[in-house]
Amino acid sequence: MVEQSMPDAWRKTLDRDAENIRVIDAALYSGRINSDAADYLKLVYSNGMDWFREVFHFLGKCLGAPKAAVVPYDKVTNSGIDVPMKIADINPLESYLVQHRLDADPMRNQFFTSHEKYQIDLSVSSIVTVIVGAQKDVHRALDKITGKYYNEFLDLVLETTKSTLESNVDVESMSKLETSIRERFAANYITNPAEVVLDLVGDIDKKLAVKLVLNLEKIRKPHTRLSDVWRIKCLFDLIPQARTFIERMQELMPERVLDIRDKFYDIKNPRNYRDAKIIINIGKDGVVVPMEIICQVRKFFEAEIRTHSNYETIRVSDEQNNVYKERESSQYMEEGVQQYNLMIVDCLKDLFDRVGWNILYSRDHDVSMFEGFPKDCKLYYPQRVMDSIRNKLTLAVENEIFHMREVPAKLTKEQENKIYWFMARFVLCAAMPYLKTDWSVPKDTEAGELFDFVMKEVQRYYKK
């Protein structure tokens, strides 16, 4: 037990460190994991306060100082508790919430929705709500690396073995080998597949054996897939803000970026889940300690909250019930996508007048105040999709399907094209494709018509 005279946050963290090591040692002695996995878990589950400092360092470097007091985060209500925390009270065992501002935000000061009588509402802000999660429970981590991640690891071992040997081993022998590998991996927790598979294969050509070993050694071990012991979630108003944040991290610390996954446009996963994820190495001196940063938009986060109970059920229930729960979660998520897209249409309405006027005012100048907005992003639709939509939009403008009606002066087709393509680019970089092809936004405004036109073209891309 740690001395009681220590600050409470430090004492609790050190006690948890010690308990984590006891749990990991018990898993090692029981044979649930091997020494390879145990050594890694001990690395990321000890010295908790030191690793937590690295989380703070990362947030400060990327987002600067907080714009409001740090408050505890309640997982039950999914909201902050309005009780400011002292720095000395912050520890890795409890989640907290803090507000930052995204500097160089491409959407900053762009979206103010105008109402009757000149009332102006801020539709989109540069504020990033950061939820710093508590350290992942070590029991959950053990469940993952001995369950889901271990099964995925075994599947890749079997797939790699088969693809490497298939032209040299007959079907019956391959089937027996596969059974033997499964039995060996089920009997013991194995992270050195090359040694085990070679032993089961027996005598094979030396060059083929070398190739098999090299291929098997490329497979990531189950415990190295554990990237969320340290994790934070960043909530943005718009997708381009999240992508700007990710690209900024790539520029600031390219050597620390371990992985990036952008799923804002993904409609293929069963839960219809949309977010972006970046894994950062917060380790030092060649030691890799991953931290997971999930980037999400607020409207979608509000929908995701409704799926938390489903996710817990899916984690522990049978496959048939999972299908129903995943379908239900997918519907909740789709409602989140729809609400988010309706917000994009509102933003589009406000942009129409302002962009059109600005293009007129800058007629004799090379640079518009909207030049470079929305910011081009590497995480985008393929160029061929962009080109296809631009060509169809140009035809629609030429045929006056789209035509600027309320303008202070007559526009050339070139100017109209410029305005409509600007708007279309905003839709393409900010909106999410929806799963249901029969859903569309209200088309009683020019913004709604254009949004629907662009998103129908996007749906065609997904059908191919």
Side-chain angles (χ1 to χ4, degrees):
M1 181 65 71
V2 180
E3 291 182 15
Q4 297 298 316
S5 59
M6 296 188 70
D8 190 53
W10 278 89
R11 180 174 53 78
K12 288 195 293 186
T13 302
L14 288 172
D15 281 343
R16 178 64 64 84
D17 288 344
E19 177 59 25
N20 288 340
I21 299 301
R22 284 194 288 272
V23 171
I24 295 165
D25 280 338
L28 174 62
Y29 297 145
S30 69
R32 188 181 181 192
I33 58 175
N34 60 11
S35 59
D36 193 18
D39 289 344
Y40 181 76
L41 288 175
K42 286 179 181 180
L43 171 69
V44 296
Y45 275 100
S46 59
N47 301 316
M49 199 61 89
D50 290 341
W51 293 129
F52 208 52
R53 277 205 204 97
E54 294 303 317
V55 175
F56 266 104
H57 174 72
F58 163 81
L59 287 174
K61 191 170 184 179
C62 291
L63 292 169
K67 301 304 176 187
V70 176
V71 298
Y73 182 72
D74 184 2
K75 291 182 180 178
V76 176
T77 61
N78 292 290
S79 61
I81 301 169
D82 193 16
V83 180
M85 296 176 70
K86 296 177 182 176
I87 294 296
D89 294 333
I90 296 173
N91 66 81
L93 313 183
E94 298 167 356
S95 302
Y96 73 87
L97 183 149
V98 62
Q99 309 287 355
H100 287 271
R101 184 182 294 280
L102 182 63
D103 293 333
D105 176 10
M107 307 298 155
R108 193 171 184 175
N109 300 327
Q110 300 294 343
F111 298 109
F112 295 85
T113 303
S114 303
H115 300 284
E116 292 181 8
K117 298 181 181 177
Y118 302 100
Q119 292 179 339
I120 304 295
D121 288 339
L122 178 64
S123 302
V124 175
S125 77
S126 299
I127 295 297
V128 186
T129 300
V130 181
I131 302 168
V132 181
Q135 180 191 65
K136 189 181 188 72
D137 184 87
V138 69
H139 296 283
R140 287 282 298 274
L142 283 166
D143 288 344
K144 273 199 167 184
I145 70 169
T146 59
K148 177 184 177 182
Y149 294 161
Y150 191 66
N151 293 333
E152 290 174 355
F153 175 67
L154 175 56
D155 288 342
L156 284 172
V157 168
L158 293 169
E159 182 184 315
T160 302
T161 302
K162 186 175 180 180
S163 63
T164 306
L165 301 178
E166 60 184 352
S167 59
N168 296 273
V169 179
D170 61 68
V171 175
E172 185 178 351
S173 298
M174 183 59 72
S175 179
K176 289 179 180 178
L177 177 60
E178 181 178 335
T179 301
S180 298
I181 293 173
R182 286 189 182 279
E183 289 173 352
R184 186 73 68 87
F185 273 72
N188 301 98
Y189 186 85
I190 295 168
T191 56
N192 56 333
E195 183 181 330
V196 173
V197 173
L198 272 183
D199 180 53
L200 294 172
V201 169
D203 293 331
I204 57 171
D205 178 75
K206 188 175 180 180
K207 287 184 179 180
L208 187 60
V210 170
K211 183 180 179 182
L212 178 61
V213 169
L214 290 174
N215 289 342
L216 289 172
E217 286 181 345
K218 292 176 185 176
I219 301 173
R220 288 180 63 191
K221 297 177 180 181
H223 54 271
T224 65
R225 297 165 186 258
L226 191 66
S227 60
D228 59 349
V229 173
W230 306 102
R231 60 265 172 95
I232 65 177
K233 177 172 282 192
C234 296
L235 302 180
F236 304 83
D237 280 341
L238 296 179
I239 289 172
Q241 294 170 320
R243 288 178 168 155
T244 296
F245 173 68
I246 290 172
E247 288 187 359
R248 184 177 180 187
M249 282 191 285
Q250 288 178 285
E251 293 166 4
L252 279 173
M253 48 187 79
E255 74 289 348
R256 286 184 173 265
V257 176
L258 299 175
D259 190 30
I260 293 176
R261 183 204 70 182
D262 186 324
K263 298 290 184 181
F264 283 121
Y265 295 163
D266 185 18
I267 61 173
K268 295 180 180 178
N269 69 81
R271 289 175 62 209
N272 194 21
Y273 196 78
R274 315 291 183 90
D275 67 6
K277 184 183 291 185
I278 181 166
I279 310 297
I280 295 286
N281 177 22
I282 58 172
K284 295 179 178 179
D285 303 322
V287 176
V288 177
V289 177
M291 177 177 72
E292 179 183 81
I293 304 140
I294 295 174
C295 299
Q296 207 170 61
V297 292
R298 296 181 211 281
K299 290 283 186 185
F300 195 75
F301 177 69
E302 292 164 8
E304 182 211 353
I305 289 170
R306 299 168 64 190
T307 72
H308 284 180
S309 60
N310 280 4
Y311 175 69
E312 291 301 320
T313 302
I314 289 169
R315 235 175 21 92
V316 298
S317 63
D318 60 85
E319 188 173 340
Q320 185 174 358
N321 191 40
N322 284 357
V323 173
Y324 169 75
K325 289 294 182 183
E326 282 186 342
R327 192 180 300 122
E328 187 177 57
S329 293
S330 176
Q331 179 54 40
Y332 289 149
M333 298 301 197
E334 185 68 5
E335 290 171 15
V337 171
Q338 292 171 5
Q339 288 302 311
Y340 173 78
N341 280 350
L342 287 171
M343 183 185 75
I344 299 301
V345 174
D346 285 340
C347 291
L348 199 60
K349 289 177 190 173
D350 191 48
L351 275 174
F352 248 107
D353 288 338
R354 297 198 295 139
V355 173
W357 273 93
N358 185 255
I359 286 174
L360 280 176
Y361 285 142
S362 60
R363 181 179 290 174
D364 299 323
H365 304 282
D366 293 331
V367 180
S368 158
M369 81 182 230
F370 288 96
E371 203 69 40
F373 171 85
K375 180 176 175 284
D376 281 329
C377 183
K378 300 167 191 170
L379 306 168
Y380 225 106
Y381 292 110
Q383 189 60 45
R384 60 189 172 81
V385 177
M386 305 289 288
D387 292 342
S388 173
I389 293 174
R390 182 161 197 174
N391 291 337
K392 290 182 179 180
L393 185 58
T394 298
L395 287 173
V397 172
E398 287 177 357
N399 294 322
E400 297 198 352
I401 294 170
F402 289 114
H403 175 60
M404 297 295 291
R405 300 177 183 88
E406 297 180 10
V407 288
K410 184 174 176 58
L411 297 176
T412 66
K413 289 298 180 187
E414 182 182 353
Q415 288 171 326
E416 284 196 314
N417 267 321
K418 188 173 183 180
I419 293 170
Y420 280 108
W421 177 238
F422 179 98
M423 299 299 180
R425 275 187 59 234
F426 171 67
V427 173
L428 286 165
C429 76
M432 286 193 231
Y434 23 83
L435 192 62
K436 291 187 174 180
T437 54
D438 59 345
W439 184 84
S440 63
V441 302
K443 294 188 283 293
D444 55 345
T445 63
E446 199 167 18
E449 287 178 5
L450 180 62
F451 184 95
D452 196 55
F453 174 88
V454 173
M455 293 308 287
K456 276 190 171 152
E457 292 302 320
V458 169
Q459 294 305 108
R460 283 194 186 126
Y461 160 67
Y462 277 101
K463 285 179 182 178
K464 291 179 182 177

